[in-house]
């Protein structure tokens, strides 16, 4: 038996090592840096733009306050439900009912991937355009989820209810909203929606003036900020007291 093992393991009589070496060489020969290919390919790189309709960006600091905690920077905590900056609601269900609107081109149909949302920038406001190709429908809503004022709805999963209502689920806390009317399906929040039409290969959204939209949905006015700065106790007597208490704690094993 030991001689047979030597033949299999050392002399590779069954060709196992040769096969594994061949497979490994294939991986080495066919390796390519996928991210580098995306960066160097303008068409692929365009899919990772923050906004479909512009090269402008809104840095993360414009969306949420970042705080320093023990020498590291992190986003501030979201406020608890019911506190300021949560469960945002417009003054009325149709806040732009009396506004003069016009049809604005926000990109080509090919700019919007099918069956997902895409963010667009209008003035200082983030909007989400949904190409529901499965149903042949287009929708546009605010990109800010009213639950925690996070600008993420364009990244939500779109689908439909059992009774045929097209919906989007916020990717953070799964709040669900009807895409046609903006009403929350599992609560009393709502989104501001805008009509969409397709002219040729142009995606057109009916919008009020930028100044009006920014007054309600402008990122600057909806930035999540900490109600009180995070307490940094590093280097303080309080930190020493806590650490000493941990060190002196006796653990009883049951």
């Amino acid at each position: 038996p030991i001689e047979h093992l030597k033949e299999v393991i050392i002399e590779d009589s069954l060709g196992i090592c040769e096969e594994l070496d061949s497979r490994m060489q294939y991986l080495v020969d066919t390796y390519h840096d996928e991210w580098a290919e995306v960066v160097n390919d303008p068409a692929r790189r365009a899919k990772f733009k923050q906004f479909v309709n512009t090269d402008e960006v809104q840095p993360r600091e414009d969306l949420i306050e970042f705080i320093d905690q023990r020498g590291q920077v992190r986003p501030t905590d979201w406020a608890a439900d019911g506190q300021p900056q949560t469960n945002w609601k417009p003054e009325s269900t149709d806040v732009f009912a009396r506004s003069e609107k016009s049809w604005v081109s926000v990109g080509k149909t090919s700019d919007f991937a099918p069956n997902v949302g895409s963010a667009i920038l209008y003035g200082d406001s983030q909007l989400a355009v949904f190409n529901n190709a499965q149903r042949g429908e287009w929708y546009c809503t605010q990109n800010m989820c009213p639950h925690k004022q996070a600008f993420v709805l364009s990244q939500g999963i779109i689908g439909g209810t059992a009774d045929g209502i097209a919906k989007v689920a916020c990717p953070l806390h799964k709040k669900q909203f009807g895409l046609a009317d903006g009403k929350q399906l599992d609560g009393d929040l709502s989104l501001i929606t805008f009509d969409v039409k397709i002219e040729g290969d142009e995606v057109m959204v009916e919008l009020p003036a930028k100044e009006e939209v920014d007054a309600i949905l402008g990122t600057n006015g909806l930035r999540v900020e900490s109600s009180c700065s995070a307490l940094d106790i590093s280097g303080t007597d309080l930190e020493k007291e806590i650490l000493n208490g941990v060190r002196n704690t006796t653990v009883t094993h049951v």
Side-chain angles (χ1 to χ4, degrees):
I2 191 68
E3 294 301 322
H4 179 64
L5 284 176
K6 288 181 179 179
E7 291 177 359
V8 172
I9 297 174
I10 299 176
E11 299 174 12
D12 193 26
S13 62
L14 299 180
I16 296 175
C17 293
E18 182 181 0
E19 180 182 354
L20 293 176
D21 286 342
S22 176
R23 291 185 180 184
M24 182 60 68
Q25 190 60 49
Y26 174 80
L27 292 176
V28 171
D29 293 341
T30 58
Y31 169 79
H32 60 283
D33 188 337
E34 296 178 351
W35 283 111
E37 290 181 358
V38 171
V39 170
N40 295 323
D41 184 342
R44 293 186 186 181
R45 191 171 67 246
K47 296 181 180 180
F48 291 88
K49 289 171 57 177
Q50 186 178 13
F51 304 109
V52 164
N53 64 328
T54 180
D55 290 327
E56 291 183 51
V57 297
Q58 287 189 337
R60 63 181 189 174
E61 292 81 7
D62 288 357
L63 312 181
I64 186 170
E65 180 182 354
F66 279 73
I67 60 175
D68 182 278
Q69 187 169 40
R70 298 195 176 190
Q72 297 189 13
V73 176
R74 68 167 180 84
T76 188
D77 296 327
W78 278 313
D81 280 1
Q83 298 299 311
Q85 301 185 107
T86 67
N87 300 327
W88 177 91
K89 294 181 180 179
E91 295 181 1
S92 66
T93 54
D94 192 357
V95 68
F96 297 119
R98 298 184 180 181
S99 299
E100 182 177 343
K101 304 179 182 71
S102 60
W103 289 100
V104 178
S105 174
V106 297
K108 305 292 186 181
T109 53
S110 58
D111 294 330
F112 297 86
N115 301 311
V116 295
S118 301
I120 63 172
L121 187 64
Y122 183 67
D124 183 49
S125 301
Q126 291 192 25
L127 306 180
V129 174
F130 299 92
N131 174 9
N132 195 341
Q134 189 172 8
R135 296 173 52 139
E137 299 168 348
W138 291 76
Y139 304 95
C140 181
T141 72
Q142 65 193 55
N143 193 36
M144 182 267 294
C145 178
H147 178 220
K148 296 290 187 179
Q149 293 187 193
F151 296 84
V152 295
L153 286 179
S154 60
Q155 303 171 44
I157 298 175
I158 65 174
T161 64
D163 51 354
I165 298 175
K167 66 177 182 177
V168 61
C170 175
L172 296 182
H173 303 105
K174 303 302 182 285
K175 303 296 183 184
Q176 300 181 58
F177 301 90
L179 287 170
D181 59 12
K183 293 181 179 179
Q184 185 181 357
L185 304 179
D186 49 359
D188 61 352
L189 300 176
S190 63
L191 308 176
I192 296 175
T193 62
F194 305 91
D195 290 338
V196 182
K197 69 177 181 179
I198 307 300
E199 289 190 349
D201 63 349
E202 293 285 336
V203 180
M204 311 289 291
V205 181
E206 190 176 32
L207 295 165
K210 291 181 179 178
E211 295 76 12
E212 289 189 64
V213 178
D214 285 347
I216 305 297
L217 296 174
T219 301
N220 185 58
L222 295 170
R223 178 176 183 263
V224 174
E225 299 178 349
S226 56
S227 56
C228 58
S229 299
L231 181 62
D232 186 357
I233 63 172
S234 55
T236 66
D237 291 338
L238 177 58
E239 181 188 42
K240 295 176 182 177
E241 182 179 343
I242 293 173
L243 292 176
N244 286 334
V246 172
R247 295 191 189 102
N248 296 328
T249 299
T250 299
V251 179
T252 302
H253 296 281
V254 179

